[in-house]
Amino acid sequence: MAEYIEPIARLVNEFSKLPGVGRRSAARLAYHIIEVSEEEATELAKAIVNVKRRVQLCPQCFDLSEGGLCPICADPKRDASLVCVVGDPRDVSAMERTGEFHGKYHVLHGTISPGEGRGPDDIKLKELLSRLADVREVIVATNPDLEGEATAMYIARLIKPMGINVTRIAHGVPVGSDLQYADEVTLGRAIVGRRPL
Amino acid sequence: MAEYIEPIARLVNEFSKLPGVGRRSAARLAYHIIEVSEEEATELAKAIVNVKRRVQLCPQCFDLSEGGLCPICADPKRDASLVCVVGDPRDVSAMERTGEFHGKYHVLHGTISPGEGRGPDDIKLKELLSRLADVREVIVATNPDLEGEATAMYIARLIKPMGINVTRIAHGVPVGSDLQYADEVTLGRAIVGRRPL
């Protein structure tokens, strides 16, 4: 006979499509749903449907938004002359958690990757260029990997001629890490990027 | 400002109530939902609601069922004179995966645990006793931990006087494991429970 009755098999199958959830975890989640109250299960189901219905892209920065401008673009206290370019909406959350950035964002939704057939037109790059009229500095905070670096270079080449400062987030050893375990590329960048004490 | 807009914050919160899902994993799951198609997200939501609506307990063995007798209780080819007692519906799935058991099950939904205030009346024990008329053997397959053992002892004391064989699943070294890493209690049980080759 089948391992699970149909409604459970179906739920295990749906859960196992989630990232990082294997068959075993999916079964654990499914049995958890069976055990919780109907209200709690319904809350989860409604939150899933709700997020699909209500989350859209901000027409200015392309971060996730509930329709119309996102809270950051709509905030007059944020410095509109400073734009931080990131690859993914999650990077906006990460940046906001630092509390160090008070400008606006621009979310590219990807990086230029010839290997995967993604060119400049496949990310929100034209949209970035079209909003730079009153901007004095663009901080490129794409990922510190090969594609992120290439995308940063590409953006710099486009924007510098417009008379706008283009900066890159610093590479270096992570705070709280152990120097002896730092890879040589990172450590090399940390030396080159050293700052006066 | 808040880390997430409201619909996302709500979904992250719901996901983080699931077992083994921390805030970080919950955020990853929420962003995954934002990225998948509306259909895929709806399928998950529907599977959650569906499992709550359709999964009930089998009135005979108390395993999960879609209303009425579960497939195993309803199967005339399964030996009704042999009942395997387990603590949790998941244990039925585990047992079925072995392919070694062809009798019926009884799910206690817990173990006797004076420490946590669970007595014999808090698990499906009366229900077990009331279905033993034509049973020749009860295999007690509660967990091999303190509470599971105590529950097994309790069941044996109740059922043996009814003239029914009561057996316990074997304790021993797991197949494929390394003897030198076996704990001494398990290894001791393996020696005591040795079988002729």
Side-chain angles (χ1 to χ4, degrees):
Chain A
M1 60 162 281
E3 192 176 345
Y4 304 113
I5 55 176
E6 195 277 331
I8 302 178
R10 183 174 147 195
L11 183 56
V12 170
N13 185 45
E14 290 300 328
F15 271 135
S16 64
K17 292 177 186 167
L18 297 175
V21 179
R23 297 289 302 177
R24 213 170 259 260
S25 310
R28 194 159 42 105
L29 296 177
Y31 278 106
H32 173 81
I33 296 294
I34 290 165
E35 280 165 9
V36 299
S37 69
E38 176 132 17
E39 287 68 36
E40 199 168 328
T42 309
E43 282 309 308
L44 172 57
K46 284 201 290 197
I48 291 168
V49 171
N50 184 57
V51 95
K52 293 307 288 184
R53 203 167 39 208
R54 282 177 50 197
V55 174
Q56 290 158 26
L57 296 184
C58 169
Q60 181 166 287
C61 77
F62 300 93
D63 189 12
L64 304 174
S65 155
E66 293 186 67
L69 285 182
C70 72
I72 296 175
C73 280
D75 185 349
K77 291 199 293 292
R78 308 278 303 217
D79 183 353
S81 73
L82 185 61
V83 172
C84 177
V85 176
V86 296
D88 188 286
R90 273 161 277 200
D91 302 330
V92 173
S93 304
M95 206 61 87
E96 285 297 288
R97 279 195 294 270
T98 71
E100 295 290 344
F101 182 71
H102 308 289
K104 310 268 182 176
Y105 291 96
H106 188 85
V107 183
L108 294 174
H109 289 272
T111 45
I112 298 170
S113 171
E116 292 178 36
R118 273 198 314 278
D121 290 345
D122 298 312
I123 60 177
K124 305 285 185 192
L125 200 52
K126 279 194 309 284
E127 292 83 351
L128 172 63
L129 299 179
S130 73
R131 60 177 283 212
L132 296 179
D134 298 313
V135 171
R136 62 182 165 83
E137 180 179 350
V138 170
I139 304 174
V140 186
T142 50
N143 281 334
D145 56 15
L146 212 65
E147 292 178 1
E149 295 295 348
T151 305
M153 292 299 182
Y154 190 90
I155 290 172
R157 263 211 315 272
L158 281 179
I159 296 179
K160 272 185 188 166
M162 299 165 76
I164 296 167
N165 287 323
V166 183
T167 58
R168 181 88 176 105
I169 49 166
H171 294 89
V173 287
V175 176
S177 65
D178 208 328
L179 212 68
Q180 61 180 308
Y181 299 126
D183 68 281
E184 65 267 26
V185 180
T186 300
L187 198 52
R189 298 288 191 98
I191 294 167
V192 172
R194 66 192 180 280
R195 303 182 58 180
L197 280 173
Chain B
M1 60 162 280
E3 192 176 345
Y4 305 111
I5 55 176
E6 195 275 332
I8 303 179
R10 184 174 145 195
L11 183 55
V12 169
N13 186 44
E14 290 299 329
F15 272 135
S16 64
K17 291 178 187 167
L18 297 175
V21 179
R23 296 291 300 177
R24 211 171 260 260
S25 309
R28 194 159 42 105
L29 296 178
Y31 278 106
H32 173 81
I33 296 294
I34 291 166
E35 280 166 8
V36 299
S37 69
E38 177 132 15
E39 288 68 38
E40 198 169 328
T42 309
E43 281 309 308
L44 172 57
K46 283 201 291 197
I48 291 168
V49 172
N50 183 57
V51 95
K52 293 308 288 184
R53 202 168 38 207
R54 283 177 49 198
V55 174
Q56 291 159 25
L57 297 184
C58 169
Q60 181 167 288
C61 76
F62 300 94
D63 190 10
L64 304 174
S65 154
E66 291 186 69
L69 285 183
C70 72
I72 296 175
C73 282
D75 185 349
K77 291 197 293 291
R78 308 276 306 215
D79 183 354
S81 72
L82 185 61
V83 172
C84 177
V85 176
V86 296
D88 188 284
R90 273 160 279 200
D91 302 331
V92 173
S93 304
M95 207 59 89
E96 285 296 287
R97 280 195 294 271
T98 69
E100 296 288 345
F101 181 70
H102 307 289
K104 309 268 182 178
Y105 291 96
H106 189 86
V107 184
L108 294 173
H109 289 270
T111 45
I112 298 170
S113 171
E116 292 177 35
R118 273 197 315 277
D121 290 343
D122 298 312
I123 59 177
K124 305 284 185 192
L125 200 51
K126 278 195 310 285
E127 293 81 353
L128 171 64
L129 299 179
S130 72
R131 58 178 283 212
L132 296 180
D134 297 312
V135 170
R136 62 181 166 85
E137 180 179 351
V138 169
I139 304 174
V140 186
T142 51
N143 280 333
D145 57 15
L146 212 64
E147 291 178 2
E149 295 294 348
T151 305
M153 293 297 184
Y154 190 89
I155 290 172
R157 263 210 316 270
L158 281 180
I159 295 179
K160 273 184 187 166
M162 299 164 77
I164 296 167
N165 287 323
V166 183
T167 56
R168 180 88 174 104
I169 49 166
H171 295 88
V173 287
V175 176
S177 66
D178 208 329
L179 210 69
Q180 62 180 306
Y181 299 126
D183 68 281
E184 66 267 28
V185 180
T186 300
L187 198 52
R189 296 289 190 97
I191 294 168
V192 173
R194 66 192 180 280
R195 301 182 59 181
L197 279 175

